[in-house]
Amino acid sequence: MVSPMTDPLLPLLKQTFGYDSFRPLQREIIAASLAGRDAVAILPTGAGKSLCFQLPALARPGVTLVISPLIALMKDQVDALTASGVAATFLNSSLAASEVQQRRSGLENGQYKLLYAAPERVMAQGFAEDLLRWNVTAIAVDEAHCISEWGHDFRPEYRQLAQLRAKLPGVPILALTATATEQVRGDIIRQLELPAPEVFLASFNRPNLSYSVVPKDQAARQVVEFSRERRQDAGIVYVQSRKSAESLAAALVADGVKAVAYHAGLQPEQRSANQEAFLRDEARVVCATIAFGMGINKPDVRYVVHADLPKNIEGYYQETGRAGRDGLPADCLLLYSRGDLVRNLKFLDDISDAKAVEVAARQMRRMADFAEGDACRRVALLGYFGELWPGDSCGGCDICLQPRETWDATTPAQKVLSCVFRIQQKSGFGTGLQHVVEVLAGANTERIRRWQHDQLSTYGVGKDTPRDEWMALGRQLIRLGLLDVSDGTFPTLALTNQGLAALKERTPILLTRAPVVASPSPAKLARAGSIACDEGLFAELRSLRKRLADEKGVPPYVVFGDASLRHMGRSYPQTDAAFLDIPGVGIQKLADYGQLFMAEIAAWLSTHERQAFAELAAPAAPPKAKKQGADSGTAQETLRLYRQGLSPDEIAAQRGLVVATIHSHLAQSIASGALQADPRDYYSAEDEQLLRQAVAEHGLASLGKLKEALDHRLDYVALHYFRAFENRGG
Ligand code: ADP
Ligand code: MG
Ligand code: ZN
C-alpha cells in the first residue's frame, strides 16, 4: 500500500480535479485498474465512482472507453471533464454527422483520454476495430446494474458487452454500480464474463443525509411548508401518481417556488425541458414519479421528500440517495400514512402471479414498518443492506434527534375507538376523523346537531384535551391498524377487527409521543458534512457561477460545486495559491475562473467584514463495510434477502443452502441486534416459561438437553431462536 505522502497519483488528483485526498476505496479501485486487473466497484451514490476510472485514464497511455447508458449522463460528464481540462468526448445519436466525423478524427489522432459511448454504439458493426485502432487501454462500465434483470434499469444491450472482451483482449474492465444486491453483483460478473475480478464493496451509509418521517396530514401543505424553510435549495418531491406530481408542483408554484413536474405522462420534449430546468437551477423543485431518476447527476439536491409511501426500502434508499451527492448536508423526509400502505397493497390486486404478489406485499409491509418504527432510521436502512451500525444512535435522524417517549394511551384510545363505534351504531355510517374529534370535544356544529351526535355517550368526554392531540391520536390508531380509513374523496373511519377487539378487551395501547414540530427544521437536524461560510458571499458566488454556466451552456455545477463555493466563502482566497487550495479547484479551473471569482470576493470584502469560522471537523470514519469475514458476510446476505421480503425457504433455495443454515443466520442476526424480531413469532409465552426453567437447570449450551427437557415440544429451529433472543445485546 502506498503511503499518502508519496502516492504519485495525489498530484494528478489535485492538479486535475482539485481534490487533496481520496474518498474511501477510490485509491484501491484505481490501483487495481492500473495494475491491469478486472474489478467490480459497488459504492453508494455520491461516493465518487467516476473518479475511479477518470483518474487512471489520465495516468495510463491510450484511451479509456466509458460505457454509459444515457445520453444526458455522457454529456454532463464530458462537460465536467472538459471544464477540468481533461480531453474527453462522447459519440452518440444526438450528434450531427459532421460532429461525429470531427470527433472520430480526433480519436484517430489520439487527442482524447476518455471516450463515452452507449452499449448500442459499442456493439455496432466495426466499432471494436475502431476501438483497437484508437488504442483503447481500459474499459469502464458505468451504471453496471443495467446488465442485470434484477436491477431496476435493465438494458438488454448491456448483455452483449462480454463480446468486447474477445475483441479487445487484455484490456481491463472496471464495472461500477450503486446497486448492492448479491444478485446484481453476480449478474455483472457473469454477464461480463470477468474471470476473477476484484470486488470492492463500500459502506452504504450516507453520513450527510438526515432521515425523518412525519405523519402525512395534508401532503401539499406539508411539502409547501418544508420547502419554505429551504428557499434557496434544490429538492425532489417523489409522488405515486402523475396527477399528484402536477398538483404538488402547482401548489409550490402558488407559493412562489419555481417548481416543475416530471412523469411519464408528459410529452418527451416537455419532460426533458423540465429536467433541464432543474439541472440548470432554473426550476428549484421537481415533483416527480419514480420515472425521474437515473439521469440525474445533479450534485446539489438538498432534499428529497417522499409525499407517498415508496413500495420498498430499496427504492426509498435509491431515491433518497439522489440528495447530497456533493457531500454537503441534505434532508430526506417521508410523509407517512397507513392509508398509503393499504393503497399500495391494493395495486397488487391486478397482478396474477401469486408469488410475486406475496414478495411485493412483504416488501411493502417492511417499508411501512420502517416508517412506523421507533428505532434509528439509519440503523434500520443499513440493516436492510446487511450492514451493522456501531452503536444505536446516528445523530442524524428524527428518532435520534427527538427521541420519542412511550406512554400508556389505553384510556384516550378507548375514547376514540368507542366514539367511532357509537357513531356507526347510531347513524349507520362512518365519518371522518375531524368529526369524531369534534364529538369528543363536545363541539356544537351543524352536523353534530343534525346527526344528534350530541346524544352519544362519548360526546364531550374529551373536552379537556386539545383537538390536535385527538387528531394525532386518531392518526396513530390508523397507523396501528385499529382504525381503517375508507378510500374516496370523503374518507371515513371504521373500526377494524383488531380495533373492535381492543375496544372490547381493553387491550393496553402503548404509543410513542410524536415530536412537537410537524417537520424538523433544518437547524435541528445533524449537519454532517456541513461547511460554515459567509452566506451572503456564497449567494453572490452562486449567481456568478450561474452567469458563467449560462454563457458556456453547461449546468452550474460543471463550473464549481457548492462545496467549492462554500470553501471560497470561508477562506476568501485572494491569490492564485490560495484559490488553488480550494477543494474542487484544479489548474484548469484556476486559469478559467480564478480571476473572476477572486474579483467577486475582493468586491465583497470592500463592503463587508471578513468573517471567521471554526475549523471544519474531519469527516467521521465510515462504519465497517460488510464482509468482515466469510461467515458474517454470508449471514448478512441472508439478512438482506430476508429484509427484501423473501422467506427462509426462498432464501435457502436461492442461495443453494439448507434452510437450517438460513435460520441459524437469522438467529445470529437477532443475537447481534441487527435484526429486531418478536419471540412470539417463534415460540409461545408458555414455552418460553418452560424454556427458562429448563435453562436454570441445564444452561444454554446444549440445545439437545433443552429439547429433551421440554419433551421435544419445540424443534431445533425454535430453540436456536430462543438462544438468540436470550443472547441478544449481550
Ligand atoms: P457516483 O458516481 O459514485 O454517484 P460521482 O462520481 O458522481 O459519484 O461523484 C460525486 C461527487 O463527489 C462529485 O461532485 C465529485 O466531484 C465528488 N468527488 C469525487 N471524488 C472526490 C474526492 N476524492 N474528494 C472530494 N470530492 C470528490
Ligand atoms: Mg456515477
Ligand atoms: Zn438515527
Coordinates of all heavy atoms in Angstrom, one line a residue, residues 43-51 53 73 77 142-143 176-178 294 297 325, ligand 2:
L43 N -20.3 1.0 -4.9 CA -20.2 2.2 -3.9 C -21.5 3.0 -4.0 O -22.1 3.1 -5.1 CB -19.1 3.1 -4.3 CG -17.6 2.8 -3.9 CD1 -17.1 1.5 -4.5 CD2 -16.7 3.9 -4.3
P44 N -22.0 3.5 -2.9 CA -23.3 4.2 -3.0 C -23.2 5.5 -3.9 O -22.1 5.9 -4.2 CB -23.5 4.6 -1.5 CG -22.2 4.6 -0.9 CD -21.4 3.6 -1.6
T45 N -24.3 6.0 -4.2 CA -24.4 7.2 -5.0 C -23.7 8.3 -4.3 O -23.8 8.4 -3.1 CB -25.9 7.6 -5.1 OG1 -26.6 6.5 -5.7 CG2 -26.1 8.8 -5.9
G46 N -22.9 9.1 -5.0 CA -22.2 10.2 -4.5 C -20.9 9.8 -3.9 O -20.1 10.7 -3.4
A47 N -20.5 8.5 -3.9 CA -19.2 8.1 -3.3 C -18.0 8.5 -4.2 O -16.9 8.4 -3.7 CB -19.3 6.6 -3.1
G48 N -18.3 8.9 -5.4 CA -17.2 9.3 -6.3 C -16.7 8.1 -7.2 O -15.5 7.9 -7.4
K49 N -17.6 7.4 -7.8 CA -17.2 6.3 -8.7 C -16.6 6.8 -10.0 O -15.6 6.2 -10.5 CB -18.5 5.5 -9.0 CG -19.0 4.6 -7.9 CD -20.1 3.7 -8.2 CE -21.4 4.4 -8.5 NZ -21.9 5.1 -7.2
S50 N -17.0 8.0 -10.5 CA -16.5 8.4 -11.8 C -14.9 8.6 -11.7 O -14.2 8.2 -12.6 CB -17.1 9.8 -12.2 OG -18.4 9.8 -11.9
L51 N -14.5 9.1 -10.6 CA -13.1 9.4 -10.4 C -12.3 8.1 -10.5 O -11.1 8.1 -11.0 CB -12.8 10.0 -9.0 CG -11.4 10.6 -8.9 CD1 -11.4 12.0 -9.4 CD2 -10.9 10.5 -7.5
F53 N -12.4 5.7 -12.6 CA -11.9 5.5 -14.0 C -11.4 6.7 -14.7 O -10.5 6.6 -15.5 CB -13.0 4.8 -14.9 CG -14.3 5.5 -15.0 CD1 -14.5 6.6 -15.8 CD2 -15.4 5.1 -14.2 CE1 -15.7 7.3 -15.9 CE2 -16.6 5.8 -14.3 CZ -16.8 6.9 -15.1
L73 N -26.3 11.7 -19.4 CA -25.2 11.4 -18.4 C -23.9 11.6 -19.1 O -22.9 12.2 -18.5 CB -25.3 10.0 -17.9 CG -26.3 9.7 -16.9 CD1 -26.2 8.2 -16.5 CD2 -26.2 10.6 -15.7
Q77 N -21.0 14.4 -18.0 CA -19.7 14.0 -17.5 C -18.6 14.6 -18.4 O -17.5 15.0 -17.9 CB -19.5 12.5 -17.5 CG -20.4 11.9 -16.4 CD -19.8 10.8 -15.6 OE1 -18.6 10.5 -15.8 NE2 -20.5 10.1 -14.8
D142 N -20.1 1.9 -16.6 CA -20.8 2.7 -15.5 C -22.2 2.2 -15.5 O -22.8 1.7 -16.4 CB -20.7 4.2 -15.9 CG -20.8 5.1 -14.6 OD1 -20.9 4.5 -13.5 OD2 -20.8 6.3 -14.8
E143 N -22.8 2.5 -14.3 CA -24.2 2.0 -14.1 C -24.4 0.5 -14.5 O -25.3 0.2 -15.1 CB -25.2 2.9 -14.8 CG -25.0 4.4 -14.8 CD -25.3 5.0 -13.4 OE1 -25.9 4.3 -12.6 OE2 -24.9 6.1 -13.1
L176 N -19.0 -0.5 -12.5 CA -19.3 0.3 -11.3 C -20.8 0.4 -11.2 O -21.6 0.6 -12.2 CB -18.8 1.7 -11.5 CG -17.3 1.8 -11.8 CD1 -17.1 2.2 -13.3 CD2 -16.6 2.8 -10.9
T177 N -21.3 0.3 -10.0 CA -22.7 0.5 -9.7 C -23.0 0.9 -8.3 O -22.1 0.7 -7.4 CB -23.5 -0.9 -10.0 OG1 -24.9 -0.7 -9.7 CG2 -23.0 -2.0 -9.1
A178 N -24.2 1.4 -8.0 CA -24.6 1.7 -6.7 C -25.6 0.7 -6.2 O -26.3 0.9 -5.1 CB -25.2 3.1 -6.6
M294 N -32.4 8.0 -12.9 CA -31.1 7.7 -13.2 C -30.3 8.8 -13.9 O -29.1 9.0 -13.7 CB -31.0 6.4 -14.0 CG -29.6 5.9 -14.2 SD -29.6 4.3 -14.8 CE -30.1 4.5 -16.5
N297 N -27.7 13.6 -12.3 CA -26.4 13.6 -11.7 C -26.2 14.9 -10.9 O -25.1 15.2 -10.4 CB -25.3 13.5 -12.7 CG -24.6 12.2 -12.7 OD1 -24.8 11.4 -11.7 ND2 -23.9 11.8 -13.7
R325 N -25.3 14.5 -3.2 CA -24.1 13.8 -3.8 C -22.8 14.6 -3.5 O -21.7 14.0 -3.6 CB -24.3 13.8 -5.3 CG -25.1 12.6 -5.8 CD -25.2 12.9 -7.3 NE -26.2 11.9 -7.8 CZ -25.8 10.9 -8.6 NH1 -24.6 10.7 -9.0 NH2 -26.8 10.1 -9.1
Ligands
MG2 MG -21.9 7.7 -11.2

